[in-house]
Every structure is written in C-alpha cells, then in structure tokens.
C-alpha cells in the first residue's frame, strides 16, 4: 500500500469534515500535503498537520509533483474544472463530490484520466452517503441493469414531505427547510429539478453508456405544483415525489425528471424528509432499493473518504458494470396521469377511476396530454409513477 500525498481543495461543510478525518486518522496510507481555501482569514485557527501547507493558489497544490491525490470540494464548474483538468493532465488521482462538473464534463475528464494515467472518482457526487456508484460498479457488475430511478434531492423531498404531512404551503416548507439547513439560500437547482437531473445524468452514463444533457432531460421541478394537486393526491392515497429515472425499453433509452404521484406499493412511497433512495431493476437481482442520507457534510465526506481508501488499496474505480449499451434516447412516450379540475372533469376520455373533481387517466402520449390540456382550461396534471 503506497503512501498517498493529498491536496484538499475546499474547506467548506464537506471539506472540513474530510480535513478533520484525515488529521485524526492514524492510517499511514495517506498524508495531507496541501489545503486550498478561498478566504484564508476564515481559517486562521486551523491546525495543520506537520508538513501540510495552507494556500489560496490551487495551482501550487495541484501541480506539486509530490502530490498523488487531489480531493476537489470547491464546487461549481469554473475553477473546479480548471483544477481537476490540471490534476488529470499531471496524471494524478482525483476525488470529487462535484455533481455539476461530473454531469457536464465527466466524459472529457474520464478521457484525460485514461490518457495521462490518472483516475477520476466521484462516489460523493450522487446520493451523498449512499454508495450507489460502488454498488453499480462492483455489487451489480455481473448483472444487466434495465432501470434506475430515485429520489436524488433531499431538499425537494423535505419540502414535499412537509407539504404532505404538515399541510404547509410551498413557500412555508421551503423556509422551514432553509431554517433547518437543508436548503441553500438560493434553492433554484433543488426545486427546479436541475440537481436531480445532474445526478441521473451521471448514473445514466455509468449504467447505459449514454451521455444525456440537461436540455435533453428538460427537468420539471416542484415549484409549480398547486395545493389542489396535493389535496387530490392525498385523496387518492398517493404521495408526490420528485423522481429522476432512466430505463431501457425495446432497445431505447427512456428518461424523465419530474414530480410524480406514487401509490403505496411503490418502493419509494415511504421515503420522506431529506432521505435519498435509489431503485435499480436488473436481470439477476431483480428490484433492489438503496436508502440513506443524501446530503450533509458527514455523509458526503464518508463517500469521499471511501474513494480515498479504495485508491490507497490500488483499486480501479473507473470501470462500469455489464450494463446495456444503448445508442438512442427518448423522453417518456406514454404515461398515466392524475388530473384535477375544480370546474369539472374532461369529457370524451375513459378514466380508469374518478372522483368529483379528480381522476386517473389511461396511458396518454404527450400529444394526447397536450390536447387534453388545450381543450380543458384549468386542468392540472401530474404523472403517476408506476
């Protein structure tokens, strides 16, 4: 086991936990060499281990020839991409929790790792403390995965749970999640589905060897859902969850990131609060569900350190499971819906079941749904997760 010299980029919520664990560790397999921060005045009380240096210049740390591993916890795509690119060009091993970076530039960065003899690992970029990437690459390596879907954003799930269980408005639930530290000051990526979309992009590339873009996924968030939809879902015994999914059907890749109404038999129905969960359907194992904390410094830091431990053991983490290689992709083409209209339900459509102002539709194509909305002003719709 070779001693790894580490450059830690970022000392925020996750970075601080990683720093503390590295300093406290008695594992002789690694040594902290550099800590890179943006605002050194905020870290004057940091007690660095012997031989470690604090700097604001990431290049000094990343391009140090004695550094073996770069842990990128800066976030964003600008400086983080520069630093990771430089590390890989220098043949270093990179660990990141940066879902935005991996989702938008993962293919390019993987290629650099391969060309220059480095490595890019990102267990912490998806589902926080759930080791879903390692599960796919190792535990399900002999299997053929047909579908992956999940609750991948803890903030949106907390908001939806608060609305469902506490009767809060969207704004009140959002403020509560911010007060408890579950939501950022600017929660746009969480509530619009962008965060979940980035994570399903990473899993889709890993499983199906297809690179999706944010524009292709066209995620729908939870910020437009009306109180009437929540009331109707509760009346039907359904729960609204923001689901990110990709799956194979007849050689085609289907994808969707959107709020859906789940029935009690769905494996994600009981996943509440900030918890994340991933459901995988595969040929050998069948349906398996993975549950755990999707965010937070400690949970995410654990995934970062797990990658570090694996690299220290000399394991190769850039492989992928024996999943399907699919060349074409398409959004979901046919789906059932919960429809709500306070002035009366549409005519000319055979509902599978109906109440006074809400009903469950048969499977509809996007064109069917568009026509239904156009001819029924005031109609609200929500896909059923089946």
């Amino acid at each position: 086991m070779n001693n790894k010299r580490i450059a830690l980029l970022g000392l925020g919520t996750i970075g601080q936990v990683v720093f503390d664990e590295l300093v406290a560790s008695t594992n002789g397999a690694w040594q902290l060499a550099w800590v890179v921060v943006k605002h050194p005045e905020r870290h004057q009380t940091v007690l660095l281990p012997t031989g470690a240096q604090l700097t604001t210049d990431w290049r000094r740390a990343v391009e140090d020839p004695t550094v073996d591993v770069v842990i990128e916890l800066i976030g964003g795509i600008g400086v983080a991409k520069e630093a990771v690119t430089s590390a890989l060009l220098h043949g270093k091993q990179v660990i990141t929790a940066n879902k935005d970076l991996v989702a938008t530039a993962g293919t390019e960065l993987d290629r650099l790792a391969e060309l220059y003899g480095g490595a890019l690992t990102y267990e912490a970029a998806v589902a926080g403390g759930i080791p879903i990437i390692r599960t796919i690459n190792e535990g399900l390596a002999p299997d053929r995965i047909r579908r992956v879907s999940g609750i991948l954003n803890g903030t949106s799930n907390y908001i939806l749970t608060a609305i469902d269980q506490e009767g809060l408005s969207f704004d009140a639930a959002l403020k509560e999640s911010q007060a408890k530290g579950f939501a950022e000051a600017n929660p746009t990526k969480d509530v619009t589905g962008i965060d979940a979309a980035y994570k399903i992009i990473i899993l889709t590339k890993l499983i199906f060897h297809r690179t999706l873009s944010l524009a292709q996924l066209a995620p729908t968030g939870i910020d437009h859902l009306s109180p009437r939809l929540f009331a109707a879902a509760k009346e039907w015994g359904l729960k609204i969850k923001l689901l990110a999914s990709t799956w194979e059907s007849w050689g085609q890749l289907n994808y969707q990131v959107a709020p859906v109404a789940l029935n009690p038999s769905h494996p994600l129905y009981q996943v509440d609060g900030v918890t994340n969960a991933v459901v995988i359907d595969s040929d050998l194992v069948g349906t398996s569900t993975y549950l755990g904390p999707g965010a937070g410094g400690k949970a995410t830091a654990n995934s970062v350190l797990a990658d570090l431990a694996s690299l220290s053991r000399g394991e190769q983490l850039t492989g992928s499971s024996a999943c399907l290689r699919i060349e074409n992709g398409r959004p979901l083409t046919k789906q059932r819906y919960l429809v709500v209209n306070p002035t009366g339900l549409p005519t000319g459509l055979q509902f599978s079941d109906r109440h006074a102002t809400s009903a469950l539709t048969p499977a509809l194509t996007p064109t069917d749904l568009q026509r239904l909305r156009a001819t029924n002003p005031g109609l609200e719709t929500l896909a059923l997760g089946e």
Side-chain angles (χ1 to χ4, degrees):
M1 197 167 2
N2 295 326
N3 183 278
K4 301 281 187 181
R5 283 177 54 81
I6 299 165
L8 174 62
L9 314 188
L11 208 55
T13 302
I14 302 167
Q16 185 65 58
V17 178
V18 171
F19 174 85
D20 291 343
E21 292 297 317
L22 289 176
V23 170
S25 174
T26 58
N27 190 332
W30 51 66
Q31 176 189 354
L32 189 60
W34 292 92
V35 178
V36 179
V37 298
K38 186 176 182 180
H39 302 286
E41 67 278 4
R42 299 178 185 174
H43 306 286
Q44 292 179 359
T45 60
V46 172
L47 297 177
L48 295 172
T50 303
Q53 300 182 65
L54 185 75
T55 182
T56 58
D57 184 358
W58 63 261
R59 289 179 179 82
R60 288 184 67 198
V62 169
E63 297 174 7
D64 179 345
T66 70
V67 165
D68 304 291
V69 180
V70 174
I71 301 177
E72 184 278 303
L73 300 174
I74 300 170
I77 298 177
V79 174
K81 184 177 180 181
E82 286 185 64
V84 169
T85 299
S86 177
L88 294 173
L89 285 171
H90 284 82
K92 301 184 188 297
Q93 297 171 322
V94 175
I95 300 169
T96 180
N98 192 334
K99 58 187 170 295
D100 298 29
L101 178 62
V102 178
T104 57
T107 300
E108 170 191 344
L109 297 174
D110 280 337
R111 190 174 299 117
L112 288 178
E114 184 177 355
L115 284 173
Y116 292 92
L120 177 67
T121 69
Y122 41 86
E123 181 67 69
V126 181
I130 305 173
I132 193 62
I133 291 175
R134 186 167 279 99
T135 297
I136 291 168
N137 276 342
E138 297 177 12
L140 296 176
D143 211 339
R144 296 178 70 84
I145 297 174
R146 303 287 177 170
R147 181 186 183 105
V148 59
S149 61
I151 294 172
L152 299 176
N153 182 268
T155 298
S156 62
N157 203 45
Y158 181 90
I159 292 170
L160 293 172
T161 301
I163 294 172
D164 176 59
Q165 296 183 359
E166 302 175 39
L168 299 183
S169 67
F170 174 84
D171 289 339
L174 173 57
K175 287 179 181 177
E176 182 176 282
S177 68
Q178 288 172 322
K180 292 186 176 182
F182 299 142
E184 301 287 346
N186 181 0
T188 300
K189 287 183 179 179
D190 296 316
V191 301
T192 59
I194 292 174
D195 179 84
Y198 278 149
K199 293 169 182 174
I200 202 66
I201 285 172
I202 294 170
L203 293 181
T204 299
K205 179 177 179 292
L206 188 68
I207 295 170
F208 297 110
H209 307 280
R210 283 273 291 130
T211 301
L212 296 174
S213 68
L214 198 60
Q216 279 178 291
L217 277 172
T220 302
I222 64 170
D223 50 339
H224 69 288
L225 300 174
S226 76
R228 279 195 299 268
L229 277 173
F230 283 98
K234 187 176 284 287
E235 182 183 20
W236 285 93
L238 305 171
K239 280 188 181 180
I240 299 176
K241 301 291 183 184
L242 179 63
L243 231 59
S245 307
T246 52
W247 66 99
E248 179 271 340
S249 179
W250 298 101
Q252 293 283 326
L253 182 67
N254 300 270
Y255 45 82
Q256 182 182 50
V257 178
V260 298
L262 303 182
N263 63 53
S265 64
H266 195 283
L268 299 178
Y269 180 86
Q270 298 288 0
V271 179
D272 293 327
V274 294
T275 302
N276 277 200
V278 180
V279 177
I280 292 177
D281 293 324
S282 58
D283 288 355
L284 299 179
V285 174
T287 299
S288 52
T289 303
Y290 308 88
L291 195 74
K298 290 183 178 180
T300 307
N302 181 75
S303 292
V304 170
L305 294 167
D307 276 350
L308 178 59
S310 295
L311 289 175
S312 297
R313 291 192 298 267
E315 296 176 10
Q316 296 296 318
L317 302 180
T318 54
S320 59
S321 59
C323 305
L324 302 176
R325 294 181 179 271
I326 297 177
E327 298 304 323
N328 300 308
R330 64 181 180 185
L332 184 63
T333 55
K334 214 167 187 182
Q335 200 163 15
R336 296 175 67 217
Y337 292 86
L338 167 66
V339 296
V340 183
N341 195 338
T343 62
L345 291 170
T347 58
L349 185 64
Q350 186 67 42
F351 294 109
S352 55
D353 206 351
R354 62 185 297 162
H355 292 167
T357 59
S358 64
L360 305 180
T361 73
L364 303 176
T365 66
T367 302
D368 294 333
L369 182 63
Q370 188 176 18
R371 187 181 303 117
L372 188 65
R373 287 171 172 165
T375 56
N376 293 273
L379 185 71
E380 296 181 75
T381 62
L382 185 67
L384 298 179
E386 297 175 311

